[in-house]
Amino acid sequence: LTPEEAQRWIEIGAEMGYERSTTESEVDEETGETEDEVYEERTSTNAWCERKCQQDPVSQQIFKRLEDLTGIPMVNSEQVQLLNYVKGQHYVTHHDYLEYEEEAISGPRILTVFMYLSDVEEGGETRFDYFDDKAMVKPKVGRVVLWPSVLDEDPFAIDERTDHEAMPIISGQKFAANCWFHQRDLTRGRELDC
């Protein structure tokens, strides 16, 4: 991302209003529904790239490049999540794969594209625990990291190597964006309300 593109997404997030990040609950077996829950291990705030954001010319440029980078159409992506972390905020080790999505028309998340929208003075790295040296990616405006949620040989099997953690901000502020791609078109499922 260019610094101008990153700044535009920070501005859009502020216009939409960052709210406390949540995590989806386990699926209720009676209703088949999940609920958003505040989770003490995830302390960031976020905004969702919805209509106004999606129609923004800068967003359109970024979406085109995401399609070119991944070879996956944006209709297979959830709404981009715009993130904001301030001093002390973090997200403990977790995985982006959600088992209950295996039965969805769109299938589970298969790929995460994580975009850094700002530099951070200290802290805020993305850490991958699988690797012996605990691979860490330092936030830098424009930097993009992608990782699979599933195995190539089995697109319904979680890739355990990509458990990751957002390290606490020690000094400064971190802005970032998540783009989660699924196996198939997400818009069709929304149209059918399933």
Side-chain angles (χ1 to χ4, degrees):
L1 301 180
T2 68
E4 295 78 19
E5 289 169 333
Q7 184 58 41
R8 181 63 187 135
W9 267 6
I10 292 171
E11 291 166 0
I12 289 172
E15 291 167 11
M16 293 169 36
Y18 290 99
E19 297 180 2
R20 177 67 189 267
S21 296
T22 58
T23 301
E24 290 186 357
S25 66
E26 296 292 319
V27 176
D28 182 302
E29 292 190 24
E30 287 183 26
T31 65
E33 303 285 322
T34 62
E35 291 186 19
D36 291 339
E37 296 180 341
V38 171
Y39 182 55
E40 289 307 314
E41 286 77 11
R42 183 182 194 185
T43 57
S44 61
T45 58
N46 71 266
W48 296 97
C49 185
E50 296 174 330
R51 284 191 176 98
K52 180 181 177 186
C53 175
Q54 291 170 347
Q55 294 168 355
D56 188 273
V58 171
S59 296
Q60 290 294 312
Q61 288 172 202
I62 296 169
F63 296 157
K64 173 71 173 106
R65 289 209 314 283
L66 287 170
E67 287 180 331
D68 291 346
L69 174 68
T70 64
I72 304 170
M74 285 304 293
V75 295
N76 288 35
S77 172
E78 296 175 35
Q79 293 173 340
V80 171
Q81 181 186 50
L82 304 172
L83 293 160
N84 181 16
Y85 289 83
V86 296
K87 185 176 180 177
Q89 291 184 328
H90 65 284
Y91 190 0
V92 299
T93 301
H94 63 284
H95 203 282
D96 293 338
Y97 187 90
L98 302 173
E99 285 185 31
Y100 71 86
E101 292 179 335
E102 292 173 2
E103 302 301 320
I105 289 176
S106 61
R109 292 175 176 170
I110 59 170
L111 183 70
T112 298
V113 180
F114 193 80
M115 298 160 273
Y116 296 94
L117 307 180
S118 67
D119 296 339
V120 176
E121 292 172 29
E122 188 177 0
E125 299 88 355
T126 303
R127 183 174 83 172
F128 293 87
D129 293 340
Y130 173 83
F131 303 97
D132 289 337
D133 61 354
K134 306 283 189 214
M136 304 247 280
V137 180
K138 182 171 177 48
K140 180 171 175 47
V141 67
R143 184 169 283 164
V144 175
V145 182
L146 28 96
W147 60 84
S149 293
V150 298
L151 299 171
D152 285 345
E153 60 274 12
D154 184 353
F156 289 96
I158 190 170
D159 188 336
E160 302 288 348
R161 299 171 299 175
T162 56
D163 282 346
H164 56 284
E165 176 178 7
M167 301 301 290
I169 302 297
I170 296 168
S171 177
Q173 186 172 13
K174 174 173 139 182
F175 289 96
N178 264 321
C179 184
W180 294 295
F181 285 96
H182 287 251
Q183 290 175 343
R184 294 177 288 280
D185 183 342
L186 273 161
T187 58
R188 185 70 181 134
R190 287 186 200 118
E191 289 169 5
L192 297 172
D193 196 27
C194 57

